[in-house]
Amino acid sequence: MMKIQNSRVVIGIAIKVIDETVKSLQINKIIPDYLEWTGEVEVTDNMKLNMKFEFWIDPPCFAMVKENDELVTKLFFTGTSKTRILKDNGEPAFETEPETKPFEISLNTGIALLREDPMKPPFVGIEYKGVHAIKFHLKDAHEHIKNMLISEDIIEIFKKIRIDVLPPVLSTIQEIYFRHHPELDPPAHGSYPVYLKYIKSDNLLNRDAVLVIVNFPIDKEKPVITENIFPSSSEVILYIDPDIIRALLDGVKKEVIDYINNILMHADTGVVCPVLGSLSLGMHKTSLRFFSEILGAGQKVTLKGDIPLSHTPGAPMLFIFPDHITIDLDTPWWLPEFIEKDFEKSLKAFLEPKIETIVGGVLKQLGNSLDLAKQFDFGDFRCMTYPDTYKIDETGLYCHIQMYILPKSDTLVHASWSKMRRKFVLCVTETGRNFSIIDLAGMMADGWITIEGFQQIGRKYIRTIPDGNPDNNMKTLFWKKTN
């Protein structure tokens, strides 16, 4: 988990997203996997030869590297080549097949914040800064290779790799925060300070990533990322500052107060109608905690409770289970016990859909804005996102999202059994990815992921691939770990 200070919104994008995008473009023939060029090459000061170059290009690699103590990103093309000397008529000068030689070309392709309109926020794009290095056995051909591989068409492809997630995210944030702070004028989208930060992983459990950090124009302090941990279980991460979460909860408070007062108004207490004097609503660990006082018959009665927020992998929102809501009411002499029980039942029934709708609706909006499949303008470009983990606590809101551009493979390490459904319903993989098993089965059927030793059945569940071993089944593997 990243530790973040002085940041309102952080969107993290794994470098792997750009890498898989580039590889997918080659699979779809948008970036070529074979090129050839024929022309004159000056091999000495006084000699030119007519030559044919052929290049078989491996899947390109977009990576973060350290250069002069600075983190940069580069695009690497590698592969094999053959070089033929030609006669004047274009036929090969020699009958023997030329030797296959390796080649490598690296490009300075930085991830940058690019802006087309000063009234709009920047987008994340690829900034081509020229060739970094060419490794090829004929140095005299380097310029021709550069012109062939780095054509205007290739540069145009780089320009199409753009991630424009800030407008919908900022619209959602403004709707939450500034609606509940009427004393502040909502700033124009183009006036938000936006920062870009590269983070480098230090082990296989983390990822190289780029962070887009957004603050309000009124914020004076610059953002600080105190711990750069971007887990390998996610490709996209969203962080929202706790002040924005508090503004969201403030929007719920009035409705809760009105609802509780309505219950008290109709309670047959035999005393002057009690009223809710105050209500605080905030985060405590991963639960919403509320505290209030009811005033009646000259007494203050404490009403407090916790509303745990839960997430199921694949769901674009957080859930509340009414049975998990705890309500503690100090029963006064003027409030009969049966009214207290009815009060608790009624309040739970109100809080569960109300909190779920408001918090869940915002999460759904934010999740849709991070669906990068809608960002790339490459025709039939295939991509999907999957909500891995959503969590709210005192430090803010965290959304960890899996992204699939190329198929992945993984190993199952844990599965959770549901006593109510009498089957395994959730699972975790070796890389830390969380799945609902029915979702995982569908993704396996669609070819997005393979799980070693498992197969999907009818897009509804998974099982071990039969091998004649009676102990090779999910119950043997995971039952004792979960029961």
Side-chain angles (χ1 to χ4, degrees):
M1 187 72 69
M2 286 182 293
K3 292 184 179 178
I4 301 164
Q5 296 176 358
N6 310 329
S7 305
R8 299 291 187 168
V9 178
V10 178
I11 300 170
I13 303 164
I15 297 298
K16 195 72 176 173
V17 169
I18 308 297
D19 179 56
E20 290 193 359
T21 297
V22 174
K23 286 179 168 64
S24 179
L25 294 180
Q26 190 194 59
I27 292 169
N28 292 302
K29 306 300 182 184
I30 297 171
I31 290 178
D33 58 5
Y34 171 82
L35 286 172
E36 62 177 54
W37 177 81
T38 302
E40 282 191 337
V41 176
E42 188 172 350
V43 292
T44 67
D45 290 343
N46 300 315
M47 181 184 293
K48 291 182 179 181
L49 292 177
N50 196 23
M51 305 185 77
K52 179 180 179 180
F53 297 92
E54 292 182 282
F55 294 89
W56 289 267
I57 305 168
D58 297 333
C61 174
F62 189 91
M64 181 182 290
V65 296
K66 204 162 194 178
E67 189 174 84
N68 300 324
D69 291 327
E70 183 182 358
L71 292 175
V72 297
T73 52
K74 296 186 183 297
L75 181 62
F76 297 89
F77 287 104
T78 60
T80 56
S81 67
K82 289 185 177 181
T83 305
R84 289 178 171 85
I85 299 174
L86 303 179
K87 299 177 182 177
D88 291 340
N89 63 2
E91 292 296 316
F94 305 99
E95 293 183 2
T96 56
E97 187 69 13
E99 186 180 352
T100 299
K101 296 280 189 178
F103 76 91
E104 179 182 313
I105 181 168
S106 56
L107 311 180
N108 294 315
T109 47
I111 298 178
L113 292 171
L114 305 175
R115 197 185 293 263
E116 294 176 338
D117 185 337
M119 299 303 293
K120 295 180 180 179
F123 61 89
V124 178
I126 304 296
E127 200 169 36
Y128 173 60
K129 300 177 181 178
V131 174
H132 173 252
I134 296 176
K135 294 180 182 179
F136 186 63
H137 64 290
L138 289 176
K139 289 188 177 180
D140 298 305
H142 282 196
E143 191 65 25
H144 299 288
I145 295 170
K146 184 179 79 171
N147 294 336
M148 178 176 60
L149 286 175
I150 314 305
S151 64
E152 285 298 320
D153 291 341
I154 296 292
I155 293 172
E156 282 302 311
I157 290 169
F158 295 155
K159 291 179 180 178
K160 285 187 176 183
I161 301 176
R162 53 183 289 165
I163 301 172
D164 197 10
V165 295
L166 286 182
V169 170
L170 292 181
S171 295
T172 304
I173 297 309
Q174 287 198 169
E175 183 183 336
I176 297 169
Y177 189 81
F178 291 98
R179 186 175 66 183
H180 301 296
H181 287 277
E183 74 280 6
L184 300 174
D185 291 326
H189 281 191
S191 66
Y192 282 84
V194 183
Y195 308 88
L196 192 75
K197 181 177 177 62
Y198 285 15
I199 60 173
K200 184 75 176 164
S201 70
D202 55 5
N203 59 61
L204 294 176
L205 298 178
N206 300 329
R207 289 190 183 281
D208 296 344
V210 60
L211 305 181
V212 181
I213 305 168
V214 184
N215 272 353
F216 291 156
I218 58 173
D219 294 330
K220 302 301 181 186
E221 295 186 37
K222 287 195 173 182
V224 177
I225 310 296
T226 57
E227 191 169 335
N228 300 340
I229 299 177
F230 195 108
S232 59
S233 58
S234 309
E235 280 70 38
V236 181
I237 288 179
L238 171 68
Y239 163 80
I240 301 291
D241 171 66
D243 281 352
I244 298 171
I245 304 303
R246 282 191 282 271
L248 175 64
L249 298 178
D250 285 344
V252 184
K253 280 172 62 173
K254 185 178 184 308
E255 293 186 61
V256 177
I257 291 171
D258 290 346
Y259 185 82
I260 294 175
N261 278 332
N262 186 58
I263 295 176
L264 295 171
M265 184 185 301
H266 294 91
D268 185 14
T269 62
V271 299
V272 176
C273 180
V275 295
L276 193 68
S278 63
L279 174 70
S280 64
L281 187 63
M283 292 304 305
H284 176 70
K285 297 183 179 178
T286 57
S287 294
L288 292 176
R289 172 162 288 183
F290 62 91
F291 180 88
S292 61
E293 292 178 336
I294 298 173
L295 308 177
Q299 286 186 318
K300 289 183 180 179
V301 181
T302 300
L303 170 68
K304 58 186 178 181
D306 287 306
I307 308 171
L309 299 172
S310 304
H311 180 254
T312 299
M317 59 186 294
L318 290 164
F319 297 100
I320 295 171
F321 298 101
D323 290 345
H324 295 173
I325 298 175
T326 58
I327 295 176
D328 181 16
L329 175 65
D330 291 339
T331 308
W333 62 266
W334 44 263
L335 189 59
E337 186 179 348
F338 74 89
I339 290 180
E340 179 191 352
K341 290 180 179 178
D342 184 62
F343 179 88
E344 182 175 328
K345 181 180 177 182
S346 180
L347 186 56
K348 283 184 178 182
F350 170 78
L351 288 172
E352 184 249 334
K354 178 57 61 178
I355 302 291
E356 222 174 63
T357 299
I358 292 176
V359 177
V362 169
L363 282 172
K364 200 165 187 178
Q365 277 181 266
L366 292 170
N368 287 338
S369 68
L370 295 176
D371 187 353
L372 303 190
K374 301 172 184 175
Q375 298 286 330
F376 299 137
D377 182 22
F378 295 118
D380 295 330
F381 182 80
R382 290 184 75 231
C383 172
M384 73 159 287
T385 54
Y386 184 81
D388 184 283
T389 307
Y390 286 4
K391 188 184 85 167
I392 296 181
D393 62 19
E394 300 102 319
T395 63
L397 164 68
Y398 298 85
C399 301
H400 288 208
I401 299 168
Q402 302 176 30
M403 186 170 180
Y404 293 79
I405 299 171
L406 298 178
K408 304 184 191 303
S409 59
D410 214 329
T411 303
L412 208 62
V413 295
H414 180 76
S416 300
W417 175 267
S418 169
K419 293 180 180 178
M420 184 177 70
R421 299 182 188 179
R422 299 186 60 79
K423 63 180 180 180
F424 289 99
V425 293
L426 302 173
C427 62
V428 183
T429 67
E430 192 172 46
T431 58
R433 296 181 186 272
N434 294 279
F435 293 97
S436 161
I437 282 182
I438 191 170
D439 293 341
L440 178 58
M443 293 167 67
M444 291 171 70
D446 291 336
W448 286 118
I449 188 168
T450 57
I451 301 295
E452 185 180 349
F454 285 81
Q455 61 186 6
Q456 64 83 26
I457 305 296
R459 304 181 65 90
K460 292 184 177 179
Y461 64 96
I462 64 173
R463 72 177 183 192
T464 54
I465 297 173
D467 61 359
N469 180 359
D471 291 331
N472 183 24
N473 61 77
M474 288 190 70
K475 278 197 172 183
T476 302
L477 292 171
F478 302 116
W479 176 268
K480 290 181 181 179
K481 297 179 183 178
T482 56
N483 290 275

